[in-house]
Amino acid sequence: MDLEKIAKEVANFYKMPVTDIKKHNRRLEYVLPRNLFCLLAYRQGNTYKSIAEYLGRDHSSIMHSVRTAQDDPRTEKQISKILGLSPDHFSCTTTFNTRMFLNYEIK
């Protein structure tokens, strides 16, 4: 999945330009979309390194973003809104650490 396409979908959902997702800013209005972008990109098969290069960050920052987004109970609801699907369209599997991961694809 193309990182630019994922960034556009997240930016459209939050009604912000894609450049705001790439900003080096810790304000909540930028952090939440960026964390969601990192999680979506990672779940689409992109590596931490490729996501980090796209955002101009270190891979460990991306790992933290992904973990933070996974632990946020609002994340799956936001993803379903971005994709325009109801939660019933997702198939869930449990991983070794009991976190729920959803299988989906942005078309």
Side-chain angles (χ1 to χ4, degrees), residues 13-51:
F13 177 72
Y14 283 99
K15 296 174 178 58
M16 65 190 322
V18 173
T19 55
D20 284 355
I21 292 174
K22 294 181 174 185
K23 279 187 177 178
H24 290 267
N25 193 316
R26 294 183 186 178
R27 292 176 61 181
L28 191 61
E29 63 194 64
Y30 301 115
V31 172
L32 292 177
R34 186 168 46 244
N35 287 351
L36 190 59
F37 163 78
C38 291
L39 179 62
L40 281 167
Y42 183 71
R43 287 186 178 177
Q44 289 296 316
N46 294 288
T47 63
Y48 292 128
K49 183 179 177 182
S50 66
I51 300 166

Short mmCIF file of all heavy atoms in Angstrom, two decimals, residues 13-51:
data_model
loop_
_atom_site.label_atom_id
_atom_site.label_comp_id
_atom_site.label_asym_id
_atom_site.label_seq_id
_atom_site.Cartn_x
_atom_site.Cartn_y
_atom_site.Cartn_z
N PHE A 13 -9.75 12.49 6.69
CA PHE A 13 -10.58 12.18 7.85
C PHE A 13 -10.46 13.27 8.91
O PHE A 13 -11.45 13.67 9.50
CB PHE A 13 -10.18 10.82 8.43
CG PHE A 13 -10.93 10.45 9.67
CD1 PHE A 13 -12.27 10.07 9.59
CD2 PHE A 13 -10.32 10.48 10.91
CE1 PHE A 13 -12.97 9.73 10.73
CE2 PHE A 13 -11.02 10.14 12.06
CZ PHE A 13 -12.35 9.76 11.97
N TYR A 14 -9.24 13.74 9.14
CA TYR A 14 -9.02 14.76 10.17
C TYR A 14 -9.13 16.19 9.62
O TYR A 14 -8.90 17.15 10.34
CB TYR A 14 -7.65 14.57 10.82
CG TYR A 14 -7.63 13.43 11.81
CD1 TYR A 14 -7.13 12.18 11.47
CD2 TYR A 14 -8.13 13.61 13.09
CE1 TYR A 14 -7.11 11.15 12.38
CE2 TYR A 14 -8.13 12.58 14.01
CZ TYR A 14 -7.61 11.35 13.65
OH TYR A 14 -7.61 10.32 14.56
N LYS A 15 -9.46 16.31 8.34
CA LYS A 15 -9.62 17.62 7.69
C LYS A 15 -8.37 18.49 7.88
O LYS A 15 -8.43 19.62 8.37
CB LYS A 15 -10.86 18.35 8.23
CG LYS A 15 -12.14 17.61 7.90
CD LYS A 15 -13.33 18.27 8.56
CE LYS A 15 -14.63 17.61 8.22
NZ LYS A 15 -14.79 16.23 8.54
N MET A 16 -7.25 17.92 7.47
CA MET A 16 -5.96 18.61 7.57
C MET A 16 -5.12 18.26 6.35
O MET A 16 -5.37 17.25 5.70
CB MET A 16 -5.24 18.21 8.86
CG MET A 16 -4.86 16.75 8.89
SD MET A 16 -4.25 16.08 10.48
CE MET A 16 -3.28 17.33 11.17
N PRO A 17 -4.13 19.08 6.01
CA PRO A 17 -3.26 18.74 4.89
C PRO A 17 -2.29 17.61 5.28
O PRO A 17 -1.98 17.42 6.47
CB PRO A 17 -2.50 20.03 4.61
CG PRO A 17 -2.63 20.86 5.82
CD PRO A 17 -3.87 20.41 6.53
N VAL A 18 -1.84 16.87 4.29
CA VAL A 18 -0.90 15.77 4.52
C VAL A 18 0.37 16.27 5.19
O VAL A 18 0.96 15.57 6.02
CB VAL A 18 -0.57 15.05 3.18
CG1 VAL A 18 0.52 14.01 3.37
CG2 VAL A 18 -1.82 14.40 2.62
N THR A 19 0.78 17.49 4.89
CA THR A 19 2.00 18.03 5.49
C THR A 19 1.90 18.11 7.01
O THR A 19 2.93 18.02 7.69
CB THR A 19 2.33 19.42 4.92
OG1 THR A 19 1.19 20.27 5.10
CG2 THR A 19 2.68 19.34 3.45
N ASP A 20 0.69 18.26 7.55
CA ASP A 20 0.53 18.31 9.00
C ASP A 20 0.84 16.96 9.65
O ASP A 20 1.29 16.91 10.79
CB ASP A 20 -0.88 18.75 9.38
CG ASP A 20 -1.10 20.24 9.21
OD1 ASP A 20 -0.13 20.96 8.87
OD2 ASP A 20 -2.24 20.69 9.41
N ILE A 21 0.59 15.88 8.95
CA ILE A 21 0.90 14.55 9.48
C ILE A 21 2.42 14.38 9.59
O ILE A 21 2.91 13.72 10.50
CB ILE A 21 0.29 13.44 8.59
CG1 ILE A 21 -1.23 13.49 8.72
CG2 ILE A 21 0.81 12.06 8.97
CD1 ILE A 21 -1.97 12.56 7.80
N LYS A 22 3.15 15.00 8.70
CA LYS A 22 4.61 14.90 8.69
C LYS A 22 5.30 15.89 9.63
O LYS A 22 6.51 15.79 9.84
CB LYS A 22 5.14 15.14 7.27
CG LYS A 22 4.73 14.07 6.29
CD LYS A 22 5.33 14.39 4.93
CE LYS A 22 5.08 13.30 3.93
NZ LYS A 22 5.77 13.55 2.66
N LYS A 23 4.55 16.81 10.22
CA LYS A 23 5.15 17.84 11.08
C LYS A 23 5.83 17.22 12.30
O LYS A 23 5.36 16.24 12.85
CB LYS A 23 4.08 18.83 11.57
CG LYS A 23 3.74 19.88 10.60
CD LYS A 23 2.82 20.91 11.25
CE LYS A 23 2.53 22.01 10.26
NZ LYS A 23 1.62 23.00 10.80
N HIS A 24 6.91 17.84 12.70
CA HIS A 24 7.61 17.44 13.92
C HIS A 24 7.04 18.27 15.06
O HIS A 24 7.64 19.24 15.51
CB HIS A 24 9.13 17.67 13.79
CG HIS A 24 9.76 16.72 12.84
ND1 HIS A 24 10.31 15.54 13.24
CD2 HIS A 24 9.89 16.76 11.50
CE1 HIS A 24 10.77 14.88 12.19
NE2 HIS A 24 10.53 15.62 11.12
N ASN A 25 5.88 17.90 15.51
CA ASN A 25 5.15 18.66 16.50
C ASN A 25 4.47 17.68 17.45
O ASN A 25 3.93 16.66 17.01
CB ASN A 25 4.09 19.53 15.79
CG ASN A 25 3.51 20.57 16.69
OD1 ASN A 25 3.18 20.31 17.84
ND2 ASN A 25 3.37 21.77 16.15
N ARG A 26 4.49 17.97 18.74
CA ARG A 26 3.91 17.07 19.73
C ARG A 26 2.49 17.45 20.14
O ARG A 26 1.93 16.83 21.04
CB ARG A 26 4.79 17.04 20.98
CG ARG A 26 6.13 16.43 20.73
CD ARG A 26 6.90 16.35 22.01
NE ARG A 26 8.26 15.90 21.77
CZ ARG A 26 9.17 15.79 22.70
NH1 ARG A 26 8.87 16.11 23.95
NH2 ARG A 26 10.38 15.38 22.41
N ARG A 27 1.92 18.42 19.50
CA ARG A 27 0.55 18.82 19.83
C ARG A 27 -0.41 17.69 19.47
O ARG A 27 -0.27 17.03 18.44
CB ARG A 27 0.18 20.10 19.12
CG ARG A 27 0.96 21.29 19.65
CD ARG A 27 0.69 22.54 18.92
NE ARG A 27 -0.72 22.89 19.02
CZ ARG A 27 -1.25 23.95 18.43
NH1 ARG A 27 -0.49 24.76 17.70
NH2 ARG A 27 -2.52 24.21 18.56
N LEU A 28 -1.41 17.52 20.30
CA LEU A 28 -2.35 16.42 20.15
C LEU A 28 -3.03 16.41 18.78
O LEU A 28 -3.27 15.35 18.21
CB LEU A 28 -3.40 16.48 21.27
CG LEU A 28 -4.31 15.29 21.42
CD1 LEU A 28 -3.51 14.04 21.73
CD2 LEU A 28 -5.32 15.54 22.52
N GLU A 29 -3.31 17.59 18.25
CA GLU A 29 -3.98 17.67 16.95
C GLU A 29 -3.14 17.09 15.81
O GLU A 29 -3.67 16.78 14.75
CB GLU A 29 -4.36 19.11 16.64
CG GLU A 29 -3.17 20.04 16.50
CD GLU A 29 -3.55 21.50 16.53
OE1 GLU A 29 -4.05 21.95 17.57
OE2 GLU A 29 -3.35 22.16 15.51
N TYR A 30 -1.82 16.94 16.02
CA TYR A 30 -0.94 16.33 15.02
C TYR A 30 -0.56 14.90 15.40
O TYR A 30 -0.38 14.06 14.53
CB TYR A 30 0.34 17.15 14.86
CG TYR A 30 0.09 18.57 14.43
CD1 TYR A 30 0.40 19.63 15.27
CD2 TYR A 30 -0.47 18.86 13.20
CE1 TYR A 30 0.16 20.95 14.90
CE2 TYR A 30 -0.72 20.17 12.81
CZ TYR A 30 -0.40 21.20 13.66
OH TYR A 30 -0.64 22.50 13.30
N VAL A 31 -0.46 14.65 16.69
CA VAL A 31 -0.01 13.33 17.15
C VAL A 31 -1.03 12.24 16.85
O VAL A 31 -0.67 11.16 16.36
CB VAL A 31 0.32 13.37 18.66
CG1 VAL A 31 0.59 11.98 19.20
CG2 VAL A 31 1.51 14.28 18.91
N LEU A 32 -2.31 12.49 17.13
CA LEU A 32 -3.33 11.46 16.90
C LEU A 32 -3.41 11.04 15.43
O LEU A 32 -3.39 9.84 15.14
CB LEU A 32 -4.69 11.93 17.42
CG LEU A 32 -4.81 12.07 18.93
CD1 LEU A 32 -6.18 12.61 19.30
CD2 LEU A 32 -4.53 10.76 19.63
N PRO A 33 -3.49 11.97 14.49
CA PRO A 33 -3.51 11.55 13.07
C PRO A 33 -2.22 10.82 12.66
O PRO A 33 -2.26 9.85 11.91
CB PRO A 33 -3.66 12.85 12.30
CG PRO A 33 -4.21 13.83 13.26
CD PRO A 33 -3.72 13.41 14.61
N ARG A 34 -1.09 11.29 13.19
CA ARG A 34 0.19 10.66 12.83
C ARG A 34 0.25 9.24 13.37
O ARG A 34 0.68 8.32 12.68
CB ARG A 34 1.35 11.50 13.37
CG ARG A 34 2.69 11.01 12.93
CD ARG A 34 3.81 11.97 13.22
NE ARG A 34 3.80 12.53 14.56
CZ ARG A 34 3.63 13.82 14.83
NH1 ARG A 34 3.45 14.70 13.87
NH2 ARG A 34 3.65 14.24 16.08
N ASN A 35 -0.21 9.02 14.62
CA ASN A 35 -0.23 7.67 15.18
C ASN A 35 -1.14 6.75 14.38
O ASN A 35 -0.80 5.60 14.12
CB ASN A 35 -0.67 7.70 16.64
CG ASN A 35 0.37 8.26 17.57
OD1 ASN A 35 1.51 8.50 17.18
ND2 ASN A 35 -0.02 8.50 18.80
N LEU A 36 -2.29 7.26 14.00
CA LEU A 36 -3.22 6.46 13.22
C LEU A 36 -2.63 6.13 11.84
O LEU A 36 -2.75 5.01 11.36
CB LEU A 36 -4.56 7.19 13.06
CG LEU A 36 -5.69 6.39 12.46
CD1 LEU A 36 -5.99 5.15 13.30
CD2 LEU A 36 -6.92 7.24 12.35
N PHE A 37 -1.97 7.12 11.24
CA PHE A 37 -1.30 6.88 9.96
C PHE A 37 -0.25 5.78 10.10
O PHE A 37 -0.19 4.86 9.27
CB PHE A 37 -0.62 8.16 9.45
CG PHE A 37 0.39 7.90 8.38
CD1 PHE A 37 -0.01 7.64 7.08
CD2 PHE A 37 1.74 7.89 8.67
CE1 PHE A 37 0.92 7.38 6.09
CE2 PHE A 37 2.68 7.63 7.69
CZ PHE A 37 2.27 7.38 6.39
N CYS A 38 0.55 5.85 11.16
CA CYS A 38 1.60 4.84 11.37
C CYS A 38 1.01 3.45 11.52
O CYS A 38 1.52 2.48 10.94
CB CYS A 38 2.45 5.20 12.58
SG CYS A 38 3.48 6.65 12.37
N LEU A 39 -0.08 3.34 12.28
CA LEU A 39 -0.72 2.04 12.48
C LEU A 39 -1.29 1.51 11.17
O LEU A 39 -1.07 0.35 10.81
CB LEU A 39 -1.82 2.15 13.53
CG LEU A 39 -2.59 0.86 13.81
CD1 LEU A 39 -1.66 -0.22 14.35
CD2 LEU A 39 -3.72 1.12 14.79
N LEU A 40 -2.00 2.35 10.43
CA LEU A 40 -2.56 1.91 9.15
C LEU A 40 -1.46 1.49 8.18
O LEU A 40 -1.57 0.46 7.52
CB LEU A 40 -3.39 3.03 8.52
CG LEU A 40 -4.79 3.23 9.07
CD1 LEU A 40 -5.37 4.54 8.58
CD2 LEU A 40 -5.67 2.07 8.68
N ALA A 41 -0.40 2.28 8.10
CA ALA A 41 0.70 1.96 7.19
C ALA A 41 1.37 0.65 7.59
O ALA A 41 1.68 -0.18 6.73
CB ALA A 41 1.71 3.10 7.18
N TYR A 42 1.57 0.46 8.87
CA TYR A 42 2.21 -0.77 9.35
C TYR A 42 1.33 -1.98 9.07
O TYR A 42 1.80 -3.02 8.63
CB TYR A 42 2.53 -0.65 10.84
CG TYR A 42 3.26 -1.85 11.37
CD1 TYR A 42 4.58 -2.10 11.02
CD2 TYR A 42 2.62 -2.74 12.24
CE1 TYR A 42 5.25 -3.21 11.50
CE2 TYR A 42 3.28 -3.85 12.73
CZ TYR A 42 4.59 -4.09 12.36
OH TYR A 42 5.26 -5.19 12.84
N ARG A 43 0.03 -1.85 9.31
CA ARG A 43 -0.89 -2.97 9.04
C ARG A 43 -1.03 -3.28 7.57
O ARG A 43 -1.42 -4.38 7.20
CB ARG A 43 -2.27 -2.66 9.63
CG ARG A 43 -2.31 -2.74 11.13
CD ARG A 43 -3.71 -2.56 11.61
NE ARG A 43 -3.79 -2.67 13.06
CZ ARG A 43 -4.91 -2.49 13.74
NH1 ARG A 43 -6.03 -2.20 13.10
NH2 ARG A 43 -4.92 -2.60 15.04
N GLN A 44 -0.68 -2.34 6.72
CA GLN A 44 -0.73 -2.58 5.28
C GLN A 44 0.55 -3.22 4.77
O GLN A 44 0.74 -3.38 3.57
CB GLN A 44 -1.01 -1.27 4.53
CG GLN A 44 -2.42 -0.75 4.72
CD GLN A 44 -3.45 -1.69 4.13
OE1 GLN A 44 -3.30 -2.19 3.04
NE2 GLN A 44 -4.51 -1.93 4.88
N GLY A 45 1.47 -3.53 5.68
CA GLY A 45 2.67 -4.25 5.30
C GLY A 45 3.92 -3.40 5.12
O GLY A 45 4.95 -3.92 4.72
N ASN A 46 3.82 -2.12 5.40
CA ASN A 46 5.00 -1.26 5.32
C ASN A 46 5.87 -1.49 6.55
O ASN A 46 5.37 -1.76 7.64
CB ASN A 46 4.59 0.21 5.25
CG ASN A 46 3.85 0.52 3.98
OD1 ASN A 46 4.42 0.57 2.90
ND2 ASN A 46 2.54 0.70 4.09
N THR A 47 7.18 -1.36 6.39
CA THR A 47 8.10 -1.56 7.50
C THR A 47 8.20 -0.29 8.33
O THR A 47 7.88 0.80 7.86
CB THR A 47 9.51 -1.92 6.99
OG1 THR A 47 10.02 -0.82 6.23
CG2 THR A 47 9.48 -3.18 6.14
N TYR A 48 8.67 -0.46 9.55
CA TYR A 48 8.90 0.71 10.41
C TYR A 48 9.87 1.67 9.73
O TYR A 48 9.69 2.88 9.78
CB TYR A 48 9.47 0.30 11.76
CG TYR A 48 8.52 -0.46 12.65
CD1 TYR A 48 8.88 -1.68 13.22
CD2 TYR A 48 7.26 0.04 12.95
CE1 TYR A 48 8.02 -2.38 14.04
CE2 TYR A 48 6.38 -0.65 13.77
CZ TYR A 48 6.77 -1.87 14.32
OH TYR A 48 5.91 -2.54 15.14
N LYS A 49 10.87 1.11 9.08
CA LYS A 49 11.89 1.92 8.42
C LYS A 49 11.29 2.75 7.28
O LYS A 49 11.57 3.95 7.16
CB LYS A 49 13.02 1.04 7.89
CG LYS A 49 14.14 1.81 7.26
CD LYS A 49 15.24 0.89 6.77
CE LYS A 49 16.31 1.70 6.09
NZ LYS A 49 17.36 0.84 5.55
N SER A 50 10.46 2.14 6.45
CA SER A 50 9.88 2.87 5.32
C SER A 50 8.92 3.97 5.80
O SER A 50 8.88 5.07 5.23
CB SER A 50 9.17 1.93 4.34
OG SER A 50 8.03 1.34 4.94
N ILE A 51 8.16 3.68 6.86
CA ILE A 51 7.26 4.69 7.42
C ILE A 51 8.07 5.83 8.01
O ILE A 51 7.75 7.00 7.82
CB ILE A 51 6.32 4.07 8.48
CG1 ILE A 51 5.46 2.96 7.86
CG2 ILE A 51 5.43 5.13 9.11
CD1 ILE A 51 4.77 2.07 8.86
#
